[in-house]
Amino acid sequence: MIDINKFIRKNIRKLTPYQSARRIKGDGDIWLNANELPFMQKKTFFFKNLNRYPDKEYKLLLKTYSKYIKVNYKNILATRGSDEAVELLIKAFCEPKKDCIMIFPPTYDMYKVYANILNVKIISLTQLKNFQIDIIKLKTSIENVKLIYICNPNNPTGNLINSEDIIEILNFTKNKCLVVIDEAYIEFCLHKTSINLISKFEHLIILRTLSKAFGLASIRCGFIVAHVKIINVIKKIIAPYPLSTPTLDIARSFFSYDSLQILQKNILELNKNKKKLIQELKKLSYVKKIFPSSANFILVSFNSSKKVFSKLLKNKIVTRDQNFKILLKNCIRISVGTYKECTSLINIFKAIEIK
Ligand SMILES: *Cc1c(COP(=O)(O)O)cnc(C)c1O
């Protein structure tokens, strides 16, 4: 029997595999725990050219996405989900054990996960009570910080970061560090994008994904949008042919005129369902607070999130308990589902008795 610990890097030894929403045990009929789009795609796909490495397909996707976001394709890279982008940025810019990333909990877990894997230090500045960034603290804490990760709208709280704060942070950090804005949910509030700031701030990096509003979580496709100087650094470390031909071709097909119409329709429908869900939840006596959301999920606080989570799970509805996170005691994150799923959820909420 080998002692595998003898061979593992020291900082990897103490890590545990990330508990993604899908890995958490429990059986369900209604999945509201991973913020996916609840609608299945109607297209079918066939591929014959799988014997060749995907080269021109990669460039074609960049050009298609470039038209969609109205940014030159030379400012864009496609990655294996935006999670890979989070990793590549830390890998490229942070010296292990020396440099830091800065994050603002409660926020998306993967920034921390990749920093830990790559043995890069983390400066965690807890958000203010209104879920905004503590800029005063930020200004006194950025020594050794190479990357700042801002999630906008933020997961799991659902709120937007003040636009003035983003500008202030960008102005302050010029020549000090790079600023990453993760816009995984931006399609649900597209007028709040910071993508137009790319031309103004050379140290700004925007992350996008097709996993949420586009409903393509399974194909694993994300984007980095930044100044060419930053793109060229990432090119040094990204794998050759990073995305498969099926991923690239499927992704590209979702930017056709018809598909973009469907995207708009889906966003409108989800925003409508969200409104209905909030309206109904407000009537329940055991709901303490529903936080404002600009994304396709809502954060709700209860007297006991544990009780509510397990009652929902008994009724085959899977949500995500956030109780263990800073500022989120007794909060549950609920993804907005189809109209039918929202109705089932509301009916179960009305039926369960919670003191
Ligand atoms: C879901 C999510 C992602 C998406 O990750 P992919 O790897 O693109 O599927 C990125 N950032 C945040 C904040 C998310 O919630």
Side-chain angles (χ1 to χ4, degrees):
M1 281 257 279
I2 63 163
D3 175 11
I4 200 68
N5 277 322
K6 255 182 18 194
F7 306 116
I8 311 177
R9 278 169 47 205
K10 219 168 20 186
N11 71 301
I12 303 292
R13 246 178 248 169
K14 46 182 190 262
L15 301 181
T16 48
Y18 177 63
Q19 288 290 311
S20 63
R22 281 291 174 274
R23 279 198 199 165
I24 287 166
K25 64 175 187 331
D27 198 15
D29 292 331
I30 301 183
W31 293 91
L32 305 176
N33 65 340
N35 300 342
E36 299 140 318
L37 196 79
F39 314 118
M40 232 187 268
Q41 303 300 342
K42 293 184 179 73
K43 300 188 205 199
T44 50
F45 296 91
F46 296 95
F47 298 95
K48 286 185 180 168
N49 54 339
L50 299 176
N51 55 320
R52 301 288 179 193
Y53 282 114
D55 187 45
K56 70 171 194 305
E57 292 86 352
Y58 190 85
K59 202 159 179 190
L60 284 173
L61 177 62
L62 297 189
K63 292 196 163 169
T64 300
Y65 198 65
S66 153
K67 272 196 201 122
Y68 173 68
I69 60 171
K70 300 186 179 70
V71 174
N72 193 300
Y73 77 95
K74 290 181 176 151
N75 295 99
I76 308 172
L77 275 182
T79 53
R80 183 189 4 93
S82 48
D83 282 351
E84 188 189 22
V86 171
E87 177 185 18
L88 290 172
L89 289 165
I90 301 177
K91 217 178 191 175
F93 292 108
C94 299
E95 203 70 64
K97 295 200 220 170
K98 180 168 162 273
D99 294 332
C100 310
I101 65 161
M102 180 180 277
I103 57 171
F104 309 101
T107 191
Y108 189 49
D109 284 325
M110 296 313 290
Y111 316 137
K112 192 169 90 184
V113 168
Y114 281 119
N116 284 333
I117 291 171
L118 297 166
N119 213 3
V120 164
K121 292 186 213 163
I122 302 162
I123 306 236
S124 287
L125 301 186
T126 305
Q127 290 172 21
L128 302 169
K129 290 237 164 61
N130 61 359
F131 297 146
Q132 292 296 327
I133 293 173
D134 188 339
I135 299 202
I136 297 168
K137 230 188 218 154
L138 180 152
K139 287 184 176 174
T140 58
S141 319
I142 67 158
E143 207 186 329
N144 296 327
V145 170
K146 285 282 185 69
L147 288 168
I148 297 182
Y149 278 95
I150 298 173
C151 190
N152 194 36
N154 187 43
N155 175 10
T157 55
N159 65 292
L160 285 157
I161 305 302
N162 295 331
S163 327
E164 315 84 69
D165 290 359
I166 288 179
I167 300 286
E168 190 175 344
I169 292 169
L170 284 169
N171 279 321
F172 177 77
T173 50
K174 256 186 212 170
N175 284 318
K176 293 193 179 81
C177 65
L178 304 176
V179 177
V180 185
I181 303 184
D182 182 348
E183 296 194 336
Y185 300 95
I186 203 70
E187 287 84 5
F188 295 100
C189 49
L190 200 54
H191 60 293
K192 292 292 185 179
T193 180
S194 300
I195 209 119
N196 47 322
L197 297 175
I198 288 283
S199 57
K200 216 173 146 205
F201 297 99
E202 294 191 356
H203 64 307
L204 170 61
I205 300 159
I206 306 268
L207 303 186
R208 292 281 188 91
T209 180
L210 301 186
S211 297
K212 304 289 155 63
F214 279 87
L216 295 172
S218 79
I219 71 167
R220 312 303 301 122
C221 184
F223 297 95
I224 302 178
V225 188
H227 193 278
V228 182
K229 287 181 204 166
I230 291 174
I231 297 294
N232 285 342
V233 174
I234 302 302
K235 278 184 182 168
K236 290 176 192 245
I237 61 165
I238 197 168
Y241 318 112
L243 300 179
S244 71
T245 296
T247 293
L248 294 163
D249 287 358
I250 291 169
R252 197 149 46 87
S253 80
F254 280 84
F255 292 90
S256 67
Y257 179 81
D258 288 350
S259 291
L260 291 176
Q261 296 286 105
I262 295 171
L263 172 73
Q264 286 318 311
K265 192 181 117 285
N266 288 343
I267 291 168
L268 286 177
E269 186 163 342
L270 279 191
N271 283 339
K272 199 184 77 194
N273 295 353
K274 180 169 72 180
K275 214 166 139 186
K276 164 94 180 156
L277 191 57
I278 292 170
Q279 239 173 32
E280 294 297 324
L281 287 180
K282 271 187 181 159
K283 296 179 191 164
L284 300 171
S285 59
Y286 59 89
V287 168
K288 271 175 70 183
K289 183 165 182 181
I290 304 162
F291 295 87
S293 163
S294 297
N296 64 332
F297 57 86
I298 54 171
L299 184 73
V300 187
S301 86
F302 300 90
N303 286 323
S304 164
S305 64
K306 201 174 157 200
K307 276 188 196 162
V308 175
F309 178 84
S310 62
K311 287 238 181 183
L312 291 175
L313 197 57
K314 259 191 208 133
N315 287 281
K316 301 264 183 202
I317 296 184
V318 191
T319 57
R320 204 151 201 212
D321 193 354
Q322 303 289 331
N323 185 46
F324 59 95
K325 287 196 172 173
I326 194 153
L327 300 185
L328 302 187
K329 196 157 173 38
N330 286 317
C331 288
I332 293 180
R333 192 193 69 191
I334 306 170
S335 310
V336 179
T338 61
Y339 190 82
K340 200 166 153 248
E341 287 170 340
C342 289
T343 311
S344 307
L345 175 66
I346 292 160
N347 287 337
I348 285 165
F349 263 126
K350 282 179 180 162
I352 56 182
E353 284 285 319
I354 289 165
K355 300 285 170 297

